[in-house]
Amino acid sequence: MSTDNEAYRSIGLPPGIIRLSRNENPIGPSPSVIEAVKARCARINRYEDPDQIALFRKLAELHGVPHDEKLALPGADSDGAWIRVGDGSEHLMHAVARAFLVPGDELIEPHPSFGLMSRFAEESGARAVRTPLTADFVYDLDAMSAAVNERTRVAVITNPNNPTGTIVTHDALARFVAGLPERVMVLVDEAYADLSEDQACADGAGLAREFDNVLVVRTFSKGYGLAGFRFGYGVAQPRTMKHVRAFHGGSPSAMVLTAAIAALDDPDHVIRTRNAASASKAIYYGACEELGLEYIHSEAAFVLIAVGDAAAVTASLAERGVYVKDAEATWGIKGMIRVSYGNEEESRIFVRALREILS
């Protein structure tokens, strides 16, 4: 391990480890979340509080959708609900696959992208159709539209995209949705939307208000720093959400709901997170330009960097206690690594290690 970081301790990790492979929030959760969770511990013997219905109101207000006042407890079923919460966005995505796909159906998801829905589709006996990105690593919506046929039931948009960090604009996505048959559900995964600074980035909830075949999933893992709590939620029109509800059970724990409410009460923490991500990415961009490395400008929590031998560089970084993702091995993006943002010290340790390896 490099002497650069052997004594360094990052929040929530053993000393000397710089983990830039899992897109975690390096600055941690809001201090108010920690205090709220501590306070809730004193009455963990009780079930969820009825007043935690405030979480649904806050999420509805955040996304400009109606709140169903008939909801009595968090997670309670309601035919008028636009919001559904769950144990991470992945559980909701799995429910979408089960709700809208049967054997013989098709799902369209570009490659490279997160790819989870393609795996869920195959588990359901459906076929995953992987369309290419453009030469600039942006979603090719024309290629997605051209892939639609009578068997197509779901189209997946990860925005910003993982692992490229590129975005689909609001106008482009609106045109794409409007051109689809109404039977095709559009799942918009906005895991990294809180980190985007581009005002043109599509507003999935805005499209869900306009189109009843749009469902948005979001997570508190990235912008709010609650990865360990696994809290996610979906936004869609009630008719669509009712269909998903039939395949999605359970409710987050009282501790998770408490943390989510406290996180929403500190919106400035998302701004702090976004600023930290931007500062870290700026350090990466500067190093790439200094070293003559190509990279993809990112609106997400990570940057794709061309390093030549991705496997060798990933292994050499790991030997120094710096962990990144081999994008060639994971997504087939030749010669590239994906590096999550860190705090300033983590980012500079990574850059020094990369410079040392490539020199």
Side-chain angles (χ1 to χ4, degrees), residues 220-235:
F220 273 43
S221 296
K222 315 304 179 183
Y224 294 99
L226 301 184
F229 272 138
R230 306 294 299 166
F231 179 77
Y233 64 99
V235 184

Side-chain angles (χ1 to χ4, degrees), residues 61-356:
E61 180 180 352
L62 179 66
H63 294 292
V65 300
H67 168 67
D68 185 1
E69 294 295 341
K70 292 194 291 295
L71 284 168
L73 286 170
D77 292 340
S78 165
D79 289 347
W82 284 70
I83 304 287
R84 184 150 189 95
V85 301
D87 297 324
S89 57
E90 291 186 9
H91 284 189
L92 283 161
M93 293 166 73
H94 191 233
V96 170
R98 294 178 62 207
F100 295 102
L101 295 171
V102 297
D105 287 345
E106 291 187 359
L107 169 144
I108 300 172
E109 183 171 24
H111 176 79
S113 64
F114 188 34
L116 182 64
M117 283 299 295
S118 290
R119 295 195 291 275
F120 287 158
E122 291 166 357
E123 288 176 8
S124 300
R127 176 172 176 256
V129 178
R130 307 304 300 271
T131 58
L133 304 183
T134 68
D136 296 327
F137 291 93
V138 176
Y139 269 33
D140 189 336
L141 297 179
D142 289 338
M144 293 184 70
S145 295
V148 173
N149 59 42
E150 67 278 3
R151 295 182 298 277
T152 306
R153 293 295 180 270
V154 178
V156 183
I157 304 288
T158 303
N159 198 37
N161 187 39
N162 178 13
T164 64
T166 53
I167 65 163
V168 177
T169 67
H170 191 83
D171 290 345
L173 187 53
R175 288 193 298 271
F176 172 73
V177 175
L180 291 175
E182 291 184 4
R183 60 178 166 75
V184 177
M185 176 59 55
V186 180
L187 176 69
V188 184
D189 178 4
E190 293 187 336
Y192 300 97
D194 288 326
L195 302 180
S196 176
E197 296 182 291
D198 192 332
Q199 297 302 308
C201 188
D203 170 18
L207 293 173
R209 294 193 298 269
E210 183 178 356
F211 299 98
D212 67 2
N213 62 330
V214 172
L215 187 148
V216 181
V217 291
R218 280 193 164 225
T219 175
F220 273 43
S221 296
K222 315 304 179 183
Y224 294 99
L226 301 184
F229 272 138
R230 306 294 299 166
F231 179 77
Y233 64 99
V235 184
Q237 293 191 22
R239 184 170 70 92
T240 299
M241 197 60 80
K242 180 180 179 181
H243 194 42
V244 173
R245 190 179 77 207
F247 297 88
H248 180 256
S251 175
S253 71
M255 297 296 287
V256 172
L257 296 171
T258 295
I261 292 172
L264 289 171
D265 284 337
D266 185 8
D268 287 343
H269 189 69
V270 176
I271 297 173
R272 293 191 290 270
T273 296
R274 190 182 306 125
N275 290 341
S278 297
S280 178
K281 289 184 288 186
I283 292 171
Y284 298 164
Y285 300 155
C288 288
E289 290 163 9
E290 174 197 334
L291 295 169
L293 303 177
E294 294 185 1
Y295 64 92
I296 308 301
H297 184 88
S298 172
E299 290 293 324
F302 41 79
V303 178
L304 277 180
I305 301 175
V307 295
D309 190 335
V313 170
T314 301
S316 294
L317 286 167
E319 290 172 0
R320 292 163 170 80
V322 180
Y323 295 90
V324 302
K325 199 80 169 177
D326 180 345
E328 183 171 343
T330 306
W331 296 282
I333 310 175
K334 188 172 178 58
M336 283 193 156
I337 59 173
R338 190 199 67 185
V339 188
S340 302
Y341 78 104
N343 59 38
E344 182 175 354
E345 187 168 1
E346 289 172 320
S347 302
R348 296 198 183 281
I349 289 172
F350 160 72
V351 164
R352 287 195 291 270
L354 184 65
R355 187 183 293 114
E356 179 182 310

